[in-house]
Amino acid sequence: MNEQNENDEISLKELIEKAQEWFSYLVSQWKIIVLAGIIGAAIGLTYSFIKKPVYTATLSFALEDEKGGGGLGGALGLASSFGLDLGGGGGSIFTGSNLTELFKSRSMVEQTLLTAVTYEGKNISLAEMYIQNNGWRDSWENKPNFKNIKFLPNADRKNYSRAQDSILGVMYADLSTNGLSVGQKDKKIAIISIDVNSTNELFAKYFTEALVNEVSDFYIETKSKKSRENMDILERQTDSIRRALNGAITGVAVANDNTFNLNPALNVRRAPSARRQVDVQANTAILTELVKQSELAKVTLRKETPLIQVIDSPILPLHKERFGKAKGILLGGILAGFLTLLVLIMRRVLKQLV
């Protein structure tokens, strides 16, 4: 037992001696460590000058709540009694988290990049603006596959080449990973915020506004698609019945003219007029119901649009985050000093092993 305690004391003593030995070694290398720290601080300061500031464009919006049917519920019920589905509330395809994911989807981001904007007196797409901001044109001078590629505003995305698809894919990956953030800042508040980060202030603003417009148009079109189709069908049926009714009314008048001053005993000659009169009454009843349903369809469609209400839009100047000089000096010095310590320790360990 005493021998075990003595061994423990020896081990502890050796450990302290080792620590003192390492400390003395590192202190003896203070010139190298300080020099590395100064170099690192200089590099950090240089980086703070080179690093472009990052601008953040923020837009907030509220989604119209369609849970309550209100007085329209009775009207929709009346329409359904005639066997017609007017679309109701449009479903919940893009609500909540689905809507936020829609903003970050590749199709919406890429379509937004093809939106036309005015930049430096020229009408270009946001994709071209992104390319200019990142200096990609200069690096493409010696690449024939990319040198002559252009992204015209409002171009048909389906006609793009493989190289264009690849470039748009890189843009999407960068924006979705580093530049675009969508979500609720507070779960208790049903207001969604969009943040877009870019080293180009105008690009951040233009892209944010264009993305919201693109998603809003797609969202409205998708959510009201069923109601719009039903309304179009009703309008075509209404026009068709109205033409038939006008023809029946004309037919009654013609038949009456043919039987003017006819012998009352010849009833068979009055049959065409009677049949036309039945057509007029039937088409009048059908037209009345179709007009009712058509108006209900229009009310339903108006109820479902607009679906996105913008609350706050990005206003220049945008919030700017710059890599500060003090931060660069501090981080550069600490990182360089730490790496130097690791190198010195590894070098001494390797010498001892040899």
Side-chain angles (χ1 to χ4, degrees):
M1 188 69 177
N2 293 334
E3 185 178 353
Q4 181 66 33
N5 292 336
E6 184 178 352
N7 290 335
D8 291 341
E9 290 177 359
I10 293 174
S11 299
L12 180 59
K13 183 178 180 182
E14 290 178 349
L15 182 61
I16 295 174
E17 290 177 352
K18 280 287 184 183
Q20 290 176 345
E21 182 181 346
W22 275 103
F23 181 75
S24 300
Y25 168 73
L26 293 176
V27 169
S28 66
Q29 303 294 324
W30 69 269
K31 292 182 180 180
I32 297 176
I33 298 173
V34 170
L35 179 60
I38 293 173
I39 295 174
I43 295 174
L45 180 61
T46 304
Y47 179 77
S48 67
F49 283 108
I50 297 174
K51 176 67 175 177
K52 295 181 179 179
V54 176
Y55 298 91
T56 302
T58 301
L59 185 147
S60 61
F61 67 91
L63 185 65
E64 186 178 358
D65 188 3
E66 294 292 345
K67 293 180 181 179
L72 189 62
L76 295 177
L78 177 63
S80 63
S81 66
F82 293 106
L84 184 66
D85 182 7
L86 296 181
S92 56
I93 302 175
F94 298 121
T95 57
S97 58
N98 289 346
L99 181 60
T100 60
E101 288 301 317
L102 177 63
F103 275 93
K104 295 186 288 185
S105 65
R106 177 164 181 167
S107 61
M108 291 294 101
V109 172
E110 290 187 354
Q111 196 61 42
T112 301
L113 287 169
L114 300 179
T115 303
V117 294
T118 301
Y119 181 63
E120 295 181 348
K122 298 180 181 179
N123 187 39
I124 62 174
S125 66
L126 281 170
E128 284 292 337
M129 189 175 177
Y130 183 94
I131 291 172
Q132 292 180 20
N133 185 48
N134 289 276
W136 288 2
R137 290 288 175 199
D138 296 334
S139 62
W140 292 348
E141 285 297 324
N142 299 323
K143 297 180 180 179
N145 294 335
F146 297 100
K147 183 177 180 180
N148 297 322
I149 286 180
K150 299 289 183 182
F151 292 93
L152 300 177
N154 301 320
D156 189 356
R157 177 69 175 81
K158 297 179 181 178
N159 297 328
Y160 274 8
S161 64
R162 183 183 180 91
Q164 289 174 306
D165 290 339
S166 175
I167 294 170
L168 284 177
V170 173
M171 293 182 190
Y172 166 72
D174 181 50
L175 288 170
S176 61
T177 304
N178 305 314
L180 178 61
S181 175
V182 183
Q184 294 175 254
K185 293 185 177 180
D186 190 338
K187 294 182 179 180
K188 298 180 180 179
I189 301 176
I191 295 178
I192 300 176
S193 296
I194 303 173
D195 294 329
V196 175
N197 300 321
S198 175
T199 55
N200 188 311
E201 186 177 27
L202 290 178
F203 178 84
K205 173 180 169 61
Y206 292 159
F207 182 84
T208 304
E209 295 172 340
L211 178 62
V212 172
N213 290 335
E214 190 69 34
V215 173
S216 179
D217 292 343
F218 177 81
Y219 185 28
I220 291 172
E221 179 66 25
T222 302
K223 199 167 190 294
S224 62
K225 182 178 181 180
K226 191 175 182 181
S227 297
R228 193 180 302 278
E229 290 176 350
N230 282 324
M231 188 182 70
D232 293 340
I233 292 172
L234 282 169
E235 288 180 346
R236 289 195 296 270
Q237 290 178 340
T238 301
D239 293 339
S240 177
I241 294 298
R242 183 175 282 110
R243 287 191 296 269
L245 177 59
N246 291 336
I249 293 173
T250 303
V252 170
V254 172
N256 288 338
D257 291 342
N258 294 333
T259 57
F260 183 72
N261 289 328
L262 183 68
N263 186 345
L266 301 176
N267 291 325
V268 68
R269 299 288 298 274
R270 301 181 185 276
S273 177
R275 286 196 296 268
R276 289 291 185 176
Q277 192 64 42
V278 172
D279 291 341
V280 169
Q281 294 174 353
N283 287 331
T284 300
I286 295 173
L287 182 62
T288 301
E289 296 303 327
L290 284 175
V291 169
K292 288 181 182 179
Q293 295 180 26
S294 180
E295 291 301 318
L296 289 175
K298 292 178 182 179
V299 171
T300 302
L301 187 60
R302 286 196 299 268
K303 175 178 178 287
E304 294 181 356
T305 53
L307 300 172
I308 294 178
Q309 180 60 52
V310 174
I311 299 174
D312 290 321
S313 299
I315 300 175
L316 299 177
L318 301 179
H319 172 71
K320 179 173 64 175
E321 184 177 349
R322 183 185 293 275
F323 192 82
K325 300 179 182 63
K327 184 178 180 181
I329 293 172
L330 183 62
L331 290 179
I334 292 175
L335 183 61
F338 179 73
L339 291 176
T340 303
L341 285 174
L342 288 179
V343 171
L344 291 173
I345 291 172
M346 291 297 297
R347 188 179 67 175
R348 188 160 192 255
V349 170
L350 290 175
K351 285 184 177 180
Q352 290 179 347
L353 291 176
V354 174

